[in-house]
């Protein structure tokens, strides 16, 4: 199932809908303004909070946490010592790790578990400039989790770019 995300609306304080491939509202991203740290809530169409996305404070490397029912679901951070540009690791609460790699800032990357493709993020399916899709490949995958991962990885990569860190994680390049 493909989900459509409109990139230009990813500012804190902005709310925006993520649509399914049939154009129906699938998820609402609710940006929480006036908070000490970045906080977003991914909600279902009825307003039920599915996942809370938070910037992790006081860490050496930028990270974001995903929470479900006020319990940590995952932590996302750049993968250290990777030869690949745009490579992030998602560590789930039970210890499982997902790999995210590709051209993050260009919205062309994949989410994998143990070499198996779970989701593909791409702009290639859409002609609209500031739009990309999250294609959840496995039917049994948690679509909300994979969409939250995509949003977090993009936010982290954009923050690094703003802070003067190169796509390969080196400061000042």
């Amino acid at each position: 199932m493909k989900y459509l995300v409109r990139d230009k609306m990813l500012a804190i304080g902005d709310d925006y809908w993520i649509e399914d491939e049939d154009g129906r509202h699938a998820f609402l991203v609710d940006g929480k303004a006036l908070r000490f740290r970045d906080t977003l809530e991914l909600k279902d169409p009825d307003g039920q909070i599915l996942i809370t996305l938070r910037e992790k404070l006081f860490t050496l490397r930028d990270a974001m946490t995903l929470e479900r029912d006020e319990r940590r679901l995952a932590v996302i951070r750049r993968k250290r010592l990777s030869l690949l540009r745009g490579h992030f690791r998602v560590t789930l609460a039970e210890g499982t790790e997902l790999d995210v790699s590709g051209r993050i800032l260009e919205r062309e990357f994949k989410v994998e578990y143990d070499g198996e493709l779970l989701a593909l993020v791409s702009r290639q399916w859409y002609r609209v400039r500031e739009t990309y899709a999250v294609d959840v490949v496995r039917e049994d995958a948690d679509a909300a989790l994979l969409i939250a991962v995509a949003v977090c990885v993009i936010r982290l990569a954009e923050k690094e770019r703003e802070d003067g860190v190169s796509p390969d994680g080196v400061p000042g390049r």
Side-chain angles (χ1 to χ4, degrees), residues 37-140:
R37 59 183 175 173
D38 284 354
T39 302
L40 301 167
E41 292 174 343
L42 187 66
K43 298 179 177 181
D44 68 13
D46 297 325
Q48 178 84 20
I49 298 172
L50 302 174
I51 298 178
T52 302
L53 301 73
R54 294 186 205 278
E55 177 185 19
K56 194 167 182 177
L57 297 177
F58 310 114
T59 60
L60 293 175
R61 293 183 296 149
D62 287 337
M64 290 190 79
T65 60
L66 302 178
E67 299 170 2
R68 181 175 277 153
D69 300 324
E70 298 185 21
R71 286 184 281 187
R72 185 184 326 179
L73 179 62
V75 175
I76 303 169
R77 57 176 48 100
R78 177 171 294 286
K79 189 169 184 178
R80 297 179 77 191
L81 305 174
S82 173
L83 297 176
L84 296 174
R85 297 165 63 95
H87 200 165
F88 287 79
R89 175 178 289 139
V90 180
T91 306
L92 301 176
E94 75 274 359
T96 303
E97 291 185 348
L98 306 180
D99 284 317
V100 181
S101 62
R103 297 183 322 269
I104 309 296
L105 293 173
E106 296 172 31
R107 308 324 187 244
E108 297 289 338
F109 59 93
K110 59 188 174 180
V111 181
E112 297 177 304
Y113 168 69
D114 201 24
E116 181 181 355
L117 183 65
L118 299 178
L120 186 61
V121 175
S122 180
R123 282 190 169 151
Q124 74 181 6
W125 296 298
Y126 297 99
R127 299 279 184 240
V128 179
R129 183 169 179 247
E130 291 149 344
T131 302
Y132 65 92
V134 178
D135 185 7
V136 178
V137 177
R138 286 189 47 163
E139 289 183 29
D140 63 340

Side-chain angles (χ1 to χ4, degrees), residues 137-152:
V137 177
R138 286 189 47 163
E139 289 183 29
D140 63 340
D142 184 343
L145 172 63
L146 294 171
I147 289 168
V149 165
V151 169
C152 285

